[in-house]
């Protein structure tokens, strides 16, 4: 439920920003939001994933200290990165510069608020995370609905970030009884061999590379391409929640199956169901009347609608790829990193090559082809596993996002 509330917030932010903005304004907003998504993923990998793996020894206060230390590191790191983004915003001209300046100012607020989710998860009190995220959802939707049509990207980013304050205050208040008296220690996060460094590598090659490639289209090519790609993938937001749930809750369920054959049978059925769902959702969106589409994405609809066949195909094969990686996480977790490295870089190459030859539609089909290649390689790797492959503890998974997990 907490993941659903967080995902719903991201979906509605993009939908409301698209409705309020011109196509050019949403392109600027999308570039900033892609930047934020990369930073959010890096923080999740470096701090969040290691935090949820912490085990508490009763009476030692180890888990409380880990939570306080994680938040302290997030606050310090996000303030430093925010200062760099603010400086970048001052150097960039026009609306794009003002949008990056706004992101730099609000980055510590939004990353700290998100970081609380991992503290509550580690403390086994997810209902507190849900309460904070539900308040975040209500505040951001209300704040954006109050903005005038045609609001600039900088204004929307600033409103989006400041609206995290009530949820951040509530989260800190709910966390306080659990961490009272614990001391923060930032040294583990700076040591060589820290576990989060491995998770960052997996995120960087598996997710962040495609996000940065899309951002590069806006910096070096055409910002409208970023808006179109982000608008198209926003429409598939409900499937992101579904894929994320499969990643988060699938390993414990699949791990109960008997042997490799039982695991593969179950994950193959799941992959087929997700693929059919992705294709069906794409078909429904493609059949939407233009008026309904403009209600969702405003001026960005026309450019995004042209990408729906490619994005629908991408989501269909992503369902198969998600379950291939899920299978490997259960049977042989060490096999996923090499797949992420090779095929994520291939996806970036296909995205950029597709854009160079066929424009933004080529970029979208490049992402779809990259996802298909990763899915095929994943299932081929599964087929080559020995029949008696023992089940292993699953690796922590990242939420699915077609632009960052292509």
């Amino acid at each position: 439920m907490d993941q659903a509330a967080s995902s719903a917030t991201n979906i509605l932010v993009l939908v409301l920003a698209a409705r309020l903005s011109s196509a050019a304004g949403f392109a600027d907003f999308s570039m900033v939001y892609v930047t934020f998504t990369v930073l959010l993923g890096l923080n999740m990998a470096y701090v969040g994933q290691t935090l949820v793996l912490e085990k508490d020894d009763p009476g030692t206060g180890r888990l409380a200290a880990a939570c306080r230390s994680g938040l302290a590191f997030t606050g310090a790191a996000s303030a430093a990165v925010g200062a760099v983004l603010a400086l970048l915003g001052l150097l960039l001209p026009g609306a794009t510069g003002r949008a990056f300046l706004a992101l730099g100012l609000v980055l510590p607020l939004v990353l700290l608020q998100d970081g609380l989710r991992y503290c509550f998860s580690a403390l086994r009190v997810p209902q507190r995370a849900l309460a904070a995220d539900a308040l975040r959802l209500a505040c951001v939707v209300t704040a954006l609905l109050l903005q005038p049509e045609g609001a600039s990207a900088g204004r929307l980013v600033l409103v989006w970030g400041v609206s995290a304050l009530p949820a951040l205050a509530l989260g800190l208040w709910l966390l306080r009884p659990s961490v009272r008296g614990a001391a923060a220690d930032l040294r583990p996060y700076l040591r060589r061999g820290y576990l989060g460094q491995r998770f960052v590598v997996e995120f960087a090659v598996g997710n962040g590379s495609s996000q940065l490639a899309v951002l590069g289209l806006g910096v070096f090519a055409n910002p409208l391409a970023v808006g179109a790609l982000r608008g198209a993938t926003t429409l598939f937001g409900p499937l992101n929640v579904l894929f994320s749930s499969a990643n988060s809750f699938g390993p414990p369920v699949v791990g109960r199956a008997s042997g490799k054959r039982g695991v593969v049978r179950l994950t193959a059925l799941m992959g087929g169901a997700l693929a059919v769902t992705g294709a069906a959702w794409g078909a429904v969106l493609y059949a939407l009347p233009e008026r309904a589409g403009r209600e969702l994405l405003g001026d960005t609809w026309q450019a995004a609608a042209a990408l729906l066949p490619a994005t629908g195909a991408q989501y269909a094969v992503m369902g198969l790829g998600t379950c291939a990686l899920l299978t490997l996480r259960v049977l042989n977790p060490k096999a996923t990193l090499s797949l992420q490295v090779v095929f994520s870089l291939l996806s970036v190459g296909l995205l950029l090559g597709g854009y160079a030859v066929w424009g933004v539609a080529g970029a979208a089909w490049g992402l779809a082809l990259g996802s298909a290649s990763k899915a095929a390689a994943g299932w081929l790797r599964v087929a080559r596993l020995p029949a008696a492959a023992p089940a292993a503890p699953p690796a922590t998974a990242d939420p699915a996002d077609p632009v960052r997990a292509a």
Side-chain angles (χ1 to χ4, degrees):
M1 289 297 292
D2 171 53
Q3 180 61 51
S6 179
S7 299
T9 300
N10 292 331
I11 295 167
L12 288 173
V13 164
L14 288 165
V15 168
L16 290 173
R19 291 184 63 181
L20 290 168
S21 308
S22 64
F26 185 65
D28 288 331
F29 183 88
S30 295
M31 288 180 64
V32 170
Y33 208 78
V34 168
T35 303
F36 162 71
T37 302
V38 171
L39 295 173
L40 179 69
L42 288 172
N43 187 65
M44 175 192 69
Y46 198 77
V47 180
Q49 290 190 7
T50 56
L51 185 57
V52 298
L53 295 177
E54 284 282 351
K55 294 182 179 179
D56 193 20
D57 294 328
T60 65
R62 175 180 173 180
L63 191 54
C67 289
R68 187 180 284 273
S69 300
L71 283 181
F73 180 84
T74 297
S78 60
V81 175
V84 173
L85 288 173
L87 179 60
L88 176 65
L90 292 173
L91 297 175
L92 290 174
T96 302
R98 291 190 291 274
F100 275 100
L101 173 61
L103 178 61
L105 295 175
V106 301
L107 186 67
L109 299 179
V110 290
L111 286 188
L112 276 172
Q113 193 274 320
D114 187 79
L116 286 166
R117 298 172 55 222
Y118 301 102
C119 293
F120 291 131
S121 177
L123 292 166
R124 307 294 188 268
V125 283
Q127 67 276 11
R128 299 183 188 179
L130 177 59
D133 280 342
L135 180 60
R136 169 67 168 143
L137 175 60
C139 289
V140 72
V141 169
T142 302
L144 289 176
L145 285 175
L146 292 175
Q147 302 311 302
E149 189 171 348
S152 68
R155 175 170 176 162
L156 293 177
V157 171
L158 196 61
V159 168
W160 159 77
V162 172
S163 67
L165 272 173
L168 175 59
L170 175 63
L172 291 173
W173 180 72
L174 291 173
L175 181 67
R176 184 180 178 185
S178 301
V179 300
R180 186 183 290 116
D185 184 5
L186 304 186
R187 288 174 297 177
Y189 295 95
L190 305 176
R191 289 174 185 155
R192 187 175 180 180
Y194 167 63
L195 183 60
Q197 293 166 4
R198 176 183 174 85
F199 291 147
V200 163
V201 172
E202 288 213 29
F203 171 80
V205 299
N207 298 348
S209 56
S210 293
Q211 288 275 30
L212 291 173
V214 171
L215 187 61
L217 292 181
V219 174
F220 301 109
N222 186 355
L224 294 176
V226 181
L229 285 169
R230 180 55 68 181
T233 55
T234 296
L235 296 172
F236 288 81
L239 293 185
N240 285 339
V241 179
L242 192 60
F243 291 163
S244 182
S245 297
N247 272 325
S248 300
F249 306 113
V253 175
V254 172
R256 298 192 190 106
S258 56
K260 176 188 173 183
R261 179 175 296 181
V263 169
V264 172
R265 183 185 297 117
L266 181 55
T267 54
L269 287 173
M270 290 172 59
L274 290 176
V276 170
T277 302
W281 186 253
V284 168
L285 291 173
Y286 192 68
L288 279 180
E290 184 174 351
R291 192 170 81 172
R294 286 187 174 276
E295 285 293 318
L296 288 172
L297 292 181
D299 290 343
T300 304
W301 167 254
Q302 187 173 2
L307 306 183
L308 287 176
T311 307
Q314 182 188 1
Y315 267 89
V317 294
M318 275 180 63
L320 295 171
T322 295
C323 290
L325 292 175
L326 173 60
T327 309
L328 290 173
R329 285 188 184 107
V330 172
L331 297 177
N332 185 13
K334 293 183 179 180
T336 60
L337 181 57
S338 59
L339 279 175
Q340 294 278 36
V341 171
V342 173
F343 288 94
S344 294
L345 293 177
L346 175 63
S347 292
V348 170
L350 291 171
L351 180 151
L352 297 176
Y355 182 80
V357 178
W358 293 294
V360 66
W365 280 111
L367 285 173
L369 183 57
S371 293
S373 301
K374 183 184 286 188
W379 283 111
L380 182 61
R381 182 69 62 88
V382 169
R384 290 177 174 175
L385 290 177
T396 305
D398 294 332
D401 184 318
V403 175
R404 62 181 172 175

